[in-house]
Each structure stands twice: as C-alpha cells, then as structure tokens.
mmCIF file of all heavy atoms in Angstrom:
data_model
loop_
_atom_site.group_PDB
_atom_site.id
_atom_site.type_symbol
_atom_site.label_atom_id
_atom_site.label_comp_id
_atom_site.label_asym_id
_atom_site.label_seq_id
_atom_site.Cartn_x
_atom_site.Cartn_y
_atom_site.Cartn_z
ATOM 1 N N SER Z 1 0.835 -1.198 0.000
ATOM 2 C CA SER Z 1 0.000 0.000 0.000
ATOM 3 C C SER Z 1 0.874 1.255 0.000
ATOM 4 O O SER Z 1 0.615 2.208 -0.747
ATOM 5 C CB SER Z 1 -0.914 -0.018 1.223
ATOM 6 O OG SER Z 1 -1.605 1.191 1.340
ATOM 7 N N PHE Z 2 1.913 1.260 0.832
ATOM 8 C CA PHE Z 2 2.841 2.394 0.860
ATOM 9 C C PHE Z 2 3.575 2.532 -0.476
ATOM 10 O O PHE Z 2 3.852 3.644 -0.922
ATOM 11 C CB PHE Z 2 3.853 2.271 1.997
ATOM 12 C CG PHE Z 2 3.353 2.783 3.320
ATOM 13 C CD1 PHE Z 2 3.377 1.973 4.435
ATOM 14 C CD2 PHE Z 2 2.874 4.069 3.457
ATOM 15 C CE1 PHE Z 2 2.922 2.436 5.662
ATOM 16 C CE2 PHE Z 2 2.422 4.547 4.673
ATOM 17 C CZ PHE Z 2 2.439 3.729 5.775
ATOM 18 N N GLN Z 3 3.886 1.411 -1.129
ATOM 19 C CA GLN Z 3 4.523 1.486 -2.447
ATOM 20 C C GLN Z 3 3.613 2.221 -3.436
ATOM 21 O O GLN Z 3 4.079 3.072 -4.193
ATOM 22 C CB GLN Z 3 4.818 0.086 -2.990
ATOM 23 C CG GLN Z 3 6.018 -0.578 -2.371
ATOM 24 C CD GLN Z 3 6.237 -1.964 -2.966
ATOM 25 O OE1 GLN Z 3 5.310 -2.761 -3.080
ATOM 26 N NE2 GLN Z 3 7.479 -2.238 -3.346
ATOM 27 N N ARG Z 4 2.328 1.878 -3.434
ATOM 28 C CA ARG Z 4 1.382 2.544 -4.334
ATOM 29 C C ARG Z 4 1.246 4.020 -3.980
ATOM 30 O O ARG Z 4 1.235 4.879 -4.872
ATOM 31 C CB ARG Z 4 0.022 1.843 -4.276
ATOM 32 C CG ARG Z 4 0.029 0.458 -4.919
ATOM 33 C CD ARG Z 4 -1.362 -0.152 -4.987
ATOM 34 N NE ARG Z 4 -1.933 -0.478 -3.692
ATOM 35 C CZ ARG Z 4 -1.731 -1.621 -3.036
ATOM 36 N NH1 ARG Z 4 -0.948 -2.555 -3.544
ATOM 37 N NH2 ARG Z 4 -2.286 -1.830 -1.865
ATOM 38 N N LEU Z 5 1.137 4.324 -2.688
ATOM 39 C CA LEU Z 5 1.035 5.723 -2.265
ATOM 40 C C LEU Z 5 2.276 6.509 -2.667
ATOM 41 O O LEU Z 5 2.178 7.650 -3.129
ATOM 42 C CB LEU Z 5 0.833 5.803 -0.749
ATOM 43 C CG LEU Z 5 -0.513 5.350 -0.215
ATOM 44 C CD1 LEU Z 5 -0.484 5.264 1.308
ATOM 45 C CD2 LEU Z 5 -1.612 6.298 -0.680
ATOM 46 N N TYR Z 6 3.454 5.892 -2.496
ATOM 47 C CA TYR Z 6 4.704 6.561 -2.867
ATOM 48 C C TYR Z 6 4.740 6.816 -4.373
ATOM 49 O O TYR Z 6 5.080 7.918 -4.811
ATOM 50 C CB TYR Z 6 5.916 5.726 -2.439
ATOM 51 C CG TYR Z 6 7.226 6.408 -2.768
ATOM 52 C CD1 TYR Z 6 7.764 7.353 -1.892
ATOM 53 C CD2 TYR Z 6 7.903 6.134 -3.943
ATOM 54 C CE1 TYR Z 6 8.946 8.001 -2.190
ATOM 55 C CE2 TYR Z 6 9.084 6.781 -4.253
ATOM 56 C CZ TYR Z 6 9.608 7.713 -3.369
ATOM 57 O OH TYR Z 6 10.774 8.362 -3.682
ATOM 58 N N HIS Z 7 4.378 5.824 -5.161
ATOM 59 C CA HIS Z 7 4.374 5.985 -6.618
ATOM 60 C C HIS Z 7 3.434 7.120 -7.028
ATOM 61 O O HIS Z 7 3.797 7.978 -7.838
ATOM 62 C CB HIS Z 7 3.967 4.677 -7.295
ATOM 63 C CG HIS Z 7 3.915 4.788 -8.782
ATOM 64 N ND1 HIS Z 7 2.764 5.107 -9.452
ATOM 65 C CD2 HIS Z 7 4.886 4.651 -9.721
ATOM 66 C CE1 HIS Z 7 3.011 5.161 -10.746
ATOM 67 N NE2 HIS Z 7 4.292 4.878 -10.935
ATOM 68 N N ASP Z 8 2.223 7.131 -6.470
ATOM 69 C CA ASP Z 8 1.255 8.177 -6.802
ATOM 70 C C ASP Z 8 1.767 9.560 -6.390
ATOM 71 O O ASP Z 8 1.645 10.525 -7.146
ATOM 72 C CB ASP Z 8 -0.095 7.898 -6.131
ATOM 73 C CG ASP Z 8 -0.766 6.644 -6.678
ATOM 74 O OD1 ASP Z 8 -0.330 6.128 -7.736
ATOM 75 O OD2 ASP Z 8 -1.720 6.166 -6.020
ATOM 76 N N ALA Z 9 2.345 9.660 -5.193
ATOM 77 C CA ALA Z 9 2.880 10.937 -4.732
ATOM 78 C C ALA Z 9 4.042 11.393 -5.600
ATOM 79 O O ALA Z 9 4.181 12.586 -5.905
ATOM 80 C CB ALA Z 9 3.322 10.823 -3.266
ATOM 81 N N LEU Z 10 4.880 10.455 -6.018
ATOM 82 C CA LEU Z 10 6.011 10.786 -6.890
ATOM 83 C C LEU Z 10 5.521 11.295 -8.240
ATOM 84 O O LEU Z 10 6.046 12.276 -8.777
ATOM 85 C CB LEU Z 10 6.911 9.564 -7.059
ATOM 86 C CG LEU Z 10 8.178 9.765 -7.886
ATOM 87 C CD1 LEU Z 10 9.066 10.833 -7.261
ATOM 88 C CD2 LEU Z 10 8.926 8.446 -8.010
ATOM 89 N N MET Z 11 4.494 10.658 -8.789
ATOM 90 C CA MET Z 11 3.950 11.108 -10.079
ATOM 91 C C MET Z 11 3.339 12.502 -9.952
ATOM 92 O O MET Z 11 3.518 13.351 -10.824
ATOM 93 C CB MET Z 11 2.908 10.112 -10.603
ATOM 94 C CG MET Z 11 3.466 8.753 -10.997
ATOM 95 S SD MET Z 11 4.727 8.851 -12.281
ATOM 96 C CE MET Z 11 6.192 8.429 -11.359
ATOM 97 N N ARG Z 12 2.629 12.769 -8.842
ATOM 98 C CA ARG Z 12 2.066 14.120 -8.615
ATOM 99 C C ARG Z 12 3.183 15.145 -8.490
ATOM 100 O O ARG Z 12 3.108 16.229 -9.050
ATOM 101 C CB ARG Z 12 1.207 14.131 -7.353
ATOM 102 C CG ARG Z 12 -0.171 13.568 -7.518
ATOM 103 C CD ARG Z 12 -1.072 13.908 -6.343
ATOM 104 N NE ARG Z 12 -0.495 13.621 -5.037
ATOM 105 C CZ ARG Z 12 -0.538 12.436 -4.434
ATOM 106 N NH1 ARG Z 12 -1.135 11.415 -5.030
ATOM 107 N NH2 ARG Z 12 0.002 12.261 -3.255
ATOM 108 N N TYR Z 13 4.217 14.791 -7.727
ATOM 109 C CA TYR Z 13 5.336 15.715 -7.536
ATOM 110 C C TYR Z 13 6.018 16.001 -8.872
ATOM 111 O O TYR Z 13 6.316 17.144 -9.198
ATOM 112 C CB TYR Z 13 6.348 15.119 -6.547
ATOM 113 C CG TYR Z 13 7.440 16.080 -6.156
ATOM 114 C CD1 TYR Z 13 7.290 16.911 -5.056
ATOM 115 C CD2 TYR Z 13 8.615 16.164 -6.887
ATOM 116 C CE1 TYR Z 13 8.281 17.800 -4.688
ATOM 117 C CE2 TYR Z 13 9.617 17.057 -6.529
ATOM 118 C CZ TYR Z 13 9.442 17.863 -5.437
ATOM 119 O OH TYR Z 13 10.420 18.756 -5.074
ATOM 120 N N ASN Z 14 6.254 14.963 -9.659
ATOM 121 C CA ASN Z 14 6.913 15.137 -10.952
ATOM 122 C C ASN Z 14 6.069 15.975 -11.906
ATOM 123 O O ASN Z 14 6.602 16.780 -12.662
ATOM 124 C CB ASN Z 14 7.235 13.788 -11.584
ATOM 125 C CG ASN Z 14 8.356 13.071 -10.877
ATOM 126 O OD1 ASN Z 14 9.146 13.674 -10.157
ATOM 127 N ND2 ASN Z 14 8.440 11.774 -11.070
ATOM 128 N N ALA Z 15 4.760 15.785 -11.886
ATOM 129 C CA ALA Z 15 3.882 16.537 -12.783
ATOM 130 C C ALA Z 15 3.798 17.998 -12.367
ATOM 131 O O ALA Z 15 3.730 18.887 -13.212
ATOM 132 C CB ALA Z 15 2.495 15.908 -12.788
ATOM 133 N N ASP Z 16 3.806 18.247 -11.068
ATOM 134 C CA ASP Z 16 3.646 19.599 -10.552
ATOM 135 C C ASP Z 16 4.945 20.402 -10.607
ATOM 136 O O ASP Z 16 4.919 21.606 -10.770
ATOM 137 C CB ASP Z 16 3.134 19.521 -9.109
ATOM 138 C CG ASP Z 16 2.710 20.875 -8.577
ATOM 139 O OD1 ASP Z 16 2.174 21.678 -9.354
ATOM 140 O OD2 ASP Z 16 2.926 21.122 -7.374
ATOM 141 N N ARG Z 17 6.057 19.745 -10.447
ATOM 142 C CA ARG Z 17 7.344 20.433 -10.394
ATOM 143 C C ARG Z 17 8.227 19.933 -11.523
ATOM 144 O O ARG Z 17 8.106 20.335 -12.649
ATOM 145 C CB ARG Z 17 7.986 20.224 -9.035
ATOM 146 C CG ARG Z 17 7.206 20.934 -7.929
ATOM 147 C CD ARG Z 17 7.723 20.521 -6.556
ATOM 148 N NE ARG Z 17 7.038 21.222 -5.502
ATOM 149 C CZ ARG Z 17 5.885 20.867 -4.977
ATOM 150 N NH1 ARG Z 17 5.242 19.822 -5.437
ATOM 151 N NH2 ARG Z 17 5.334 21.549 -4.001
ATOM 152 N N ARG Z 18 9.135 19.038 -11.177
ATOM 153 C CA ARG Z 18 10.014 18.394 -12.159
ATOM 154 C C ARG Z 18 10.449 17.070 -11.568
ATOM 155 O O ARG Z 18 10.340 16.859 -10.362
ATOM 156 C CB ARG Z 18 11.216 19.268 -12.463
ATOM 157 C CG ARG Z 18 12.142 19.416 -11.275
ATOM 158 C CD ARG Z 18 13.396 20.166 -11.681
ATOM 159 N NE ARG Z 18 14.228 20.331 -10.540
ATOM 160 C CZ ARG Z 18 14.031 21.210 -9.575
ATOM 161 N NH1 ARG Z 18 12.998 22.019 -9.633
ATOM 162 N NH2 ARG Z 18 14.846 21.293 -8.559
ATOM 163 N N PRO Z 19 10.953 16.155 -12.373
ATOM 164 C CA PRO Z 19 11.361 14.862 -11.830
ATOM 165 C C PRO Z 19 12.446 15.009 -10.762
ATOM 166 O O PRO Z 19 13.340 15.841 -10.885
ATOM 167 C CB PRO Z 19 11.908 14.126 -13.052
ATOM 168 C CG PRO Z 19 11.311 14.815 -14.227
ATOM 169 C CD PRO Z 19 11.122 16.240 -13.812
ATOM 170 N N LEU Z 20 12.329 14.214 -9.699
ATOM 171 C CA LEU Z 20 13.364 14.213 -8.663
ATOM 172 C C LEU Z 20 14.619 13.498 -9.140
ATOM 173 O O LEU Z 20 15.709 13.762 -8.648
ATOM 174 C CB LEU Z 20 12.846 13.528 -7.392
ATOM 175 C CG LEU Z 20 11.888 14.342 -6.549
ATOM 176 C CD1 LEU Z 20 11.385 13.511 -5.377
ATOM 177 C CD2 LEU Z 20 12.541 15.608 -6.051
ATOM 178 N N THR Z 21 14.460 12.572 -10.058
ATOM 179 C CA THR Z 21 15.612 11.873 -10.610
ATOM 180 C C THR Z 21 15.511 11.890 -12.124
ATOM 181 O O THR Z 21 14.442 12.127 -12.692
ATOM 182 C CB THR Z 21 15.671 10.403 -10.133
ATOM 183 O OG1 THR Z 21 14.610 9.684 -10.748
ATOM 184 C CG2 THR Z 21 15.587 10.290 -8.627
ATOM 185 N N HIS Z 22 16.593 11.623 -12.768
ATOM 186 C CA HIS Z 22 16.605 11.576 -14.227
ATOM 187 C C HIS Z 22 16.169 10.209 -14.751
ATOM 188 O O HIS Z 22 16.068 9.995 -15.948
ATOM 189 C CB HIS Z 22 17.991 11.920 -14.757
ATOM 190 C CG HIS Z 22 19.061 11.020 -14.223
ATOM 191 N ND1 HIS Z 22 19.335 9.798 -14.770
ATOM 192 C CD2 HIS Z 22 19.872 11.150 -13.150
ATOM 193 C CE1 HIS Z 22 20.288 9.217 -14.071
ATOM 194 N NE2 HIS Z 22 20.637 10.013 -13.085
ATOM 195 N N ILE Z 23 15.872 9.280 -13.850
ATOM 196 C CA ILE Z 23 15.533 7.916 -14.242
ATOM 197 C C ILE Z 23 14.119 7.821 -14.801
ATOM 198 O O ILE Z 23 13.863 7.077 -15.736
ATOM 199 C CB ILE Z 23 15.718 6.963 -13.040
ATOM 200 C CG1 ILE Z 23 17.192 6.944 -12.642
ATOM 201 C CG2 ILE Z 23 15.211 5.570 -13.351
ATOM 202 C CD1 ILE Z 23 17.464 6.253 -11.327
ATOM 203 N N LEU Z 24 13.192 8.578 -14.221
ATOM 204 C CA LEU Z 24 11.808 8.513 -14.681
ATOM 205 C C LEU Z 24 11.648 9.260 -15.996
ATOM 206 O O LEU Z 24 12.167 10.357 -16.151
ATOM 207 C CB LEU Z 24 10.879 9.122 -13.632
ATOM 208 C CG LEU Z 24 10.801 8.384 -12.307
ATOM 209 C CD1 LEU Z 24 9.975 9.181 -11.319
ATOM 210 C CD2 LEU Z 24 10.217 7.002 -12.492
ATOM 211 N N PRO Z 25 10.903 8.690 -16.933
ATOM 212 C CA PRO Z 25 10.689 9.401 -18.197
ATOM 213 C C PRO Z 25 9.821 10.630 -17.978
ATOM 214 O O PRO Z 25 8.930 10.628 -17.136
ATOM 215 C CB PRO Z 25 9.975 8.365 -19.072
ATOM 216 C CG PRO Z 25 9.366 7.400 -18.124
ATOM 217 C CD PRO Z 25 10.234 7.407 -16.897
ATOM 218 N N ALA Z 26 10.109 11.690 -18.707
ATOM 219 C CA ALA Z 26 9.349 12.925 -18.586
ATOM 220 C C ALA Z 26 8.900 13.360 -19.974
ATOM 221 O O ALA Z 26 9.615 13.166 -20.950
ATOM 222 C CB ALA Z 26 10.195 14.008 -17.934
ATOM 223 N N GLU Z 27 7.715 13.929 -20.036
ATOM 224 C CA GLU Z 27 7.202 14.453 -21.297
ATOM 225 C C GLU Z 27 7.852 15.798 -21.590
ATOM 226 O O GLU Z 27 8.232 16.529 -20.688
ATOM 227 C CB GLU Z 27 5.679 14.626 -21.199
ATOM 228 C CG GLU Z 27 4.926 13.347 -20.965
ATOM 229 C CD GLU Z 27 5.017 12.394 -22.144
ATOM 230 O OE1 GLU Z 27 5.013 12.868 -23.293
ATOM 231 O OE2 GLU Z 27 5.092 11.170 -21.908
ATOM 232 N N GLY Z 28 7.952 16.124 -22.864
ATOM 233 C CA GLY Z 28 8.447 17.438 -23.252
ATOM 234 C C GLY Z 28 9.955 17.553 -23.114
ATOM 235 O O GLY Z 28 10.691 16.590 -23.280
ATOM 236 N N SER Z 29 10.383 18.745 -22.772
ATOM 237 C CA SER Z 29 11.823 19.026 -22.712
ATOM 238 C C SER Z 29 12.465 18.426 -21.463
ATOM 239 O O SER Z 29 11.782 18.022 -20.530
ATOM 240 C CB SER Z 29 12.065 20.536 -22.738
ATOM 241 O OG SER Z 29 11.558 21.121 -21.559
ATOM 242 N N TYR Z 30 13.759 18.426 -21.487
ATOM 243 C CA TYR Z 30 14.541 17.926 -20.358
ATOM 244 C C TYR Z 30 14.478 18.948 -19.242
ATOM 245 O O TYR Z 30 14.999 20.054 -19.371
ATOM 246 C CB TYR Z 30 15.983 17.706 -20.828
ATOM 247 C CG TYR Z 30 16.868 17.032 -19.811
ATOM 248 C CD1 TYR Z 30 16.722 15.686 -19.532
ATOM 249 C CD2 TYR Z 30 17.847 17.744 -19.134
ATOM 250 C CE1 TYR Z 30 17.534 15.055 -18.617
ATOM 251 C CE2 TYR Z 30 18.666 17.112 -18.214
ATOM 252 C CZ TYR Z 30 18.505 15.774 -17.976
ATOM 253 O OH TYR Z 30 19.309 15.152 -17.063
ATOM 254 N N ARG Z 31 13.811 18.616 -18.123
ATOM 255 C CA ARG Z 31 13.536 19.581 -17.054
ATOM 256 C C ARG Z 31 14.401 19.369 -15.815
ATOM 257 O O ARG Z 31 14.147 19.970 -14.783
ATOM 258 C CB ARG Z 31 12.065 19.477 -16.655
ATOM 259 C CG ARG Z 31 11.126 19.818 -17.769
ATOM 260 C CD ARG Z 31 9.675 19.604 -17.406
ATOM 261 N NE ARG Z 31 9.408 19.847 -16.003
ATOM 262 C CZ ARG Z 31 8.388 19.334 -15.339
ATOM 263 N NH1 ARG Z 31 7.529 18.559 -15.953
ATOM 264 N NH2 ARG Z 31 8.213 19.578 -14.068
ATOM 265 N N TRP Z 32 15.377 18.523 -15.895
ATOM 266 C CA TRP Z 32 16.161 18.170 -14.710
ATOM 267 C C TRP Z 32 16.774 19.384 -14.019
ATOM 268 O O TRP Z 32 16.855 19.455 -12.812
ATOM 269 C CB TRP Z 32 17.245 17.168 -15.102
ATOM 270 C CG TRP Z 32 18.081 16.735 -13.974
ATOM 271 C CD1 TRP Z 32 19.391 17.060 -13.755
ATOM 272 C CD2 TRP Z 32 17.701 15.915 -12.873
ATOM 273 N NE1 TRP Z 32 19.841 16.488 -12.605
ATOM 274 C CE2 TRP Z 32 18.815 15.773 -12.039
ATOM 275 C CE3 TRP Z 32 16.530 15.289 -12.502
ATOM 276 C CZ2 TRP Z 32 18.796 15.037 -10.869
ATOM 277 C CZ3 TRP Z 32 16.511 14.550 -11.340
ATOM 278 C CH2 TRP Z 32 17.632 14.435 -10.547
ATOM 279 N N LEU Z 33 17.207 20.373 -14.783
ATOM 280 C CA LEU Z 33 17.905 21.523 -14.198
ATOM 281 C C LEU Z 33 17.012 22.728 -13.939
ATOM 282 O O LEU Z 33 17.495 23.780 -13.548
ATOM 283 C CB LEU Z 33 19.071 21.943 -15.117
ATOM 284 C CG LEU Z 33 20.140 20.865 -15.309
ATOM 285 C CD1 LEU Z 33 21.181 21.337 -16.300
ATOM 286 C CD2 LEU Z 33 20.789 20.508 -13.993
ATOM 287 N N ASP Z 34 15.706 22.605 -14.138
ATOM 288 C CA ASP Z 34 14.795 23.725 -13.919
ATOM 289 C C ASP Z 34 14.755 24.097 -12.442
ATOM 290 O O ASP Z 34 14.760 23.241 -11.569
ATOM 291 C CB ASP Z 34 13.381 23.384 -14.383
ATOM 292 C CG ASP Z 34 13.298 23.196 -15.886
ATOM 293 O OD1 ASP Z 34 14.274 23.512 -16.581
ATOM 294 O OD2 ASP Z 34 12.248 22.726 -16.351
ATOM 295 N N ASP Z 35 14.676 25.387 -12.180
ATOM 296 C CA ASP Z 35 14.524 25.862 -10.807
ATOM 297 C C ASP Z 35 13.087 25.662 -10.357
ATOM 298 O O ASP Z 35 12.195 25.599 -11.184
ATOM 299 C CB ASP Z 35 14.887 27.343 -10.717
ATOM 300 C CG ASP Z 35 16.384 27.575 -10.848
ATOM 301 O OD1 ASP Z 35 17.137 26.660 -10.488
ATOM 302 O OD2 ASP Z 35 16.787 28.651 -11.309
ATOM 303 N N PRO Z 36 12.761 25.634 -9.093
ATOM 304 C CA PRO Z 36 13.646 25.644 -7.936
ATOM 305 C C PRO Z 36 14.150 24.239 -7.608
ATOM 306 O O PRO Z 36 13.524 23.251 -7.960
ATOM 307 C CB PRO Z 36 12.752 26.158 -6.811
ATOM 308 C CG PRO Z 36 11.391 25.668 -7.179
ATOM 309 C CD PRO Z 36 11.345 25.691 -8.693
ATOM 310 N N TRP Z 37 15.272 24.179 -6.906
ATOM 311 C CA TRP Z 37 15.834 22.914 -6.460
ATOM 312 C C TRP Z 37 15.077 22.429 -5.227
ATOM 313 O O TRP Z 37 14.512 23.236 -4.484
ATOM 314 C CB TRP Z 37 17.317 23.078 -6.139
ATOM 315 C CG TRP Z 37 18.111 23.330 -7.372
ATOM 316 C CD1 TRP Z 37 18.461 24.553 -7.876
ATOM 317 C CD2 TRP Z 37 18.625 22.358 -8.279
ATOM 318 N NE1 TRP Z 37 19.166 24.407 -9.043
ATOM 319 C CE2 TRP Z 37 19.287 23.059 -9.315
ATOM 320 C CE3 TRP Z 37 18.584 20.979 -8.333
ATOM 321 C CZ2 TRP Z 37 19.896 22.407 -10.372
ATOM 322 C CZ3 TRP Z 37 19.207 20.337 -9.391
ATOM 323 C CH2 TRP Z 37 19.849 21.050 -10.394
ATOM 324 N N PRO Z 38 15.036 21.136 -4.968
ATOM 325 C CA PRO Z 38 14.279 20.620 -3.816
ATOM 326 C C PRO Z 38 14.690 21.230 -2.476
ATOM 327 O O PRO Z 38 13.866 21.364 -1.580
ATOM 328 C CB PRO Z 38 14.568 19.109 -3.844
ATOM 329 C CG PRO Z 38 14.860 18.813 -5.269
ATOM 330 C CD PRO Z 38 15.575 20.045 -5.794
ATOM 331 N N TRP Z 39 15.941 21.613 -2.306
ATOM 332 C CA TRP Z 39 16.393 22.145 -1.011
ATOM 333 C C TRP Z 39 16.126 23.644 -0.872
ATOM 334 O O TRP Z 39 16.375 24.219 0.170
ATOM 335 C CB TRP Z 39 17.888 21.859 -0.799
ATOM 336 C CG TRP Z 39 18.747 22.344 -1.918
ATOM 337 C CD1 TRP Z 39 19.248 23.607 -2.082
ATOM 338 C CD2 TRP Z 39 19.209 21.583 -3.024
ATOM 339 N NE1 TRP Z 39 19.970 23.676 -3.230
ATOM 340 C CE2 TRP Z 39 19.973 22.436 -3.837
ATOM 341 C CE3 TRP Z 39 19.043 20.259 -3.410
ATOM 342 C CZ2 TRP Z 39 20.580 22.019 -5.006
ATOM 343 C CZ3 TRP Z 39 19.654 19.849 -4.585
ATOM 344 C CH2 TRP Z 39 20.400 20.707 -5.361
ATOM 345 N N GLU Z 40 15.598 24.284 -1.893
ATOM 346 C CA GLU Z 40 15.228 25.697 -1.795
ATOM 347 C C GLU Z 40 13.835 25.770 -1.183
ATOM 348 O O GLU Z 40 12.828 25.816 -1.875
ATOM 349 C CB GLU Z 40 15.287 26.353 -3.171
ATOM 350 C CG GLU Z 40 16.686 26.402 -3.727
ATOM 351 C CD GLU Z 40 16.749 26.978 -5.124
ATOM 352 O OE1 GLU Z 40 15.967 26.525 -5.991
ATOM 353 O OE2 GLU Z 40 17.564 27.875 -5.330
ATOM 354 N N TYR Z 41 13.816 25.775 0.133
ATOM 355 C CA TYR Z 41 12.581 25.590 0.886
ATOM 356 C C TYR Z 41 11.487 26.580 0.495
ATOM 357 O O TYR Z 41 10.380 26.183 0.165
ATOM 358 C CB TYR Z 41 12.865 25.680 2.391
ATOM 359 C CG TYR Z 41 11.621 25.547 3.224
ATOM 360 C CD1 TYR Z 41 11.047 24.301 3.414
ATOM 361 C CD2 TYR Z 41 10.997 26.652 3.775
ATOM 362 C CE1 TYR Z 41 9.879 24.153 4.147
ATOM 363 C CE2 TYR Z 41 9.839 26.520 4.510
ATOM 364 C CZ TYR Z 41 9.289 25.281 4.691
ATOM 365 O OH TYR Z 41 8.136 25.133 5.412
ATOM 366 N N CYS Z 42 11.776 27.862 0.544
ATOM 367 C CA CYS Z 42 10.738 28.867 0.294
ATOM 368 C C CYS Z 42 10.154 28.753 -1.107
ATOM 369 O O CYS Z 42 8.978 29.006 -1.317
ATOM 370 C CB CYS Z 42 11.296 30.266 0.526
ATOM 371 S SG CYS Z 42 11.673 30.568 2.264
ATOM 372 N N ALA Z 43 10.952 28.370 -2.065
ATOM 373 C CA ALA Z 43 10.466 28.236 -3.443
ATOM 374 C C ALA Z 43 9.622 26.983 -3.635
ATOM 375 O O ALA Z 43 8.880 26.886 -4.605
ATOM 376 C CB ALA Z 43 11.654 28.214 -4.400
ATOM 377 N N ASN Z 44 9.721 26.045 -2.724
ATOM 378 C CA ASN Z 44 9.019 24.773 -2.866
ATOM 379 C C ASN Z 44 7.835 24.597 -1.932
ATOM 380 O O ASN Z 44 7.198 23.563 -1.951
ATOM 381 C CB ASN Z 44 9.990 23.610 -2.648
ATOM 382 C CG ASN Z 44 10.880 23.404 -3.847
ATOM 383 O OD1 ASN Z 44 10.414 23.027 -4.907
ATOM 384 N ND2 ASN Z 44 12.166 23.679 -3.684
#
C-alpha cells in the first residue's frame, strides 16, 4: 500500500514540479535543471 502511495505521490510531484531523478521518463523538454531545487525551501 505504501509502495502505491509513494508511486502516486512521486507522479504528482513530478507533474507539478520536475522529476526528482533523471531515471523517470518525462514528457516534453529535459527539465532536470529547472529551478527551484528541492532544497530551496521557500520556493518549494
């Protein structure tokens, strides 16, 4: 159940922001370097 919840949360996070890793396929352009970075708290 946690695996499914994690997968769903990861997909929401990737769709809303950008992929956390370069391993998951992403639609459109390569967004790995787009701002903000995960550790930029206020921006996230």
Side-chain angles (χ1 to χ4, degrees):
S1 173
F2 276 125
Q3 283 180 312
R4 290 186 293 274
L5 289 170
Y6 182 84
H7 179 267
D8 294 347
L10 183 60
M11 293 301 110
R12 281 194 310 275
Y13 188 90
N14 289 340
D16 190 36
R17 292 170 178 84
R18 67 174 178 283
L20 284 176
T21 70
H22 57 83
I23 296 169
L24 295 174
E27 298 294 323
S29 66
Y30 187 73
R31 298 175 32 203
W32 181 251
L33 298 176
D34 294 350
D35 288 332
W37 292 94
W39 54 85
E40 295 177 310
Y41 178 76
C42 292
N44 284 293

